[in-house]
Amino acid sequence: MPRTYKCAFCGGEIKPGTGMLYVRNDGVLLWFCSRKCRNSSLELKRDPRKIRWTEYYGKEEKGKG
């Protein structure tokens, strides 16, 4: 059975056969659903909690604040 992944930036579901896998130098695997998410995360270094179209919008990390 093919596995579905969650986008590392927006939190959307990635269907099998789609999306992009990015491997960082430290071995962390990052799945992205689109080029928009990949560029926002890696090149523009945006925080997904401050972008309205992400599922993480408005959510703060637990244990802070």
Side-chain angles (χ1 to χ4, degrees), residues 5-19:
Y5 294 97
K6 198 171 186 181
C7 179
F9 186 75
C10 72
E13 183 179 323
I14 302 172
K15 295 179 182 177
T18 62

Side-chain angles (χ1 to χ4, degrees), residues 22-33:
Y22 181 83
V23 183
R24 291 195 323 203
N25 286 337
D26 59 358
V28 175
L29 302 176
L30 298 173
W31 283 93
F32 295 107
C33 62

Side-chain angles (χ1 to χ4, degrees), residues 15-61:
K15 295 179 182 177
T18 62
M20 290 174 267
L21 174 64
Y22 181 83
V23 183
R24 291 195 323 203
N25 286 337
D26 59 358
V28 175
L29 302 176
L30 298 173
W31 283 93
F32 295 107
C33 62
S34 64
R35 183 174 178 162
K36 179 180 177 181
C37 288
R38 182 174 57 96
N39 285 342
S40 293
S41 179
L42 302 176
E43 293 182 18
L44 302 175
K45 297 181 178 22
R46 290 181 173 158
D47 185 2
R49 293 172 295 168
K50 296 180 181 178
I51 307 295
R52 290 186 183 193
W53 50 267
T54 66
E55 292 183 9
Y56 302 121
Y57 177 70
K59 294 184 181 179
E60 294 292 327
E61 292 182 23

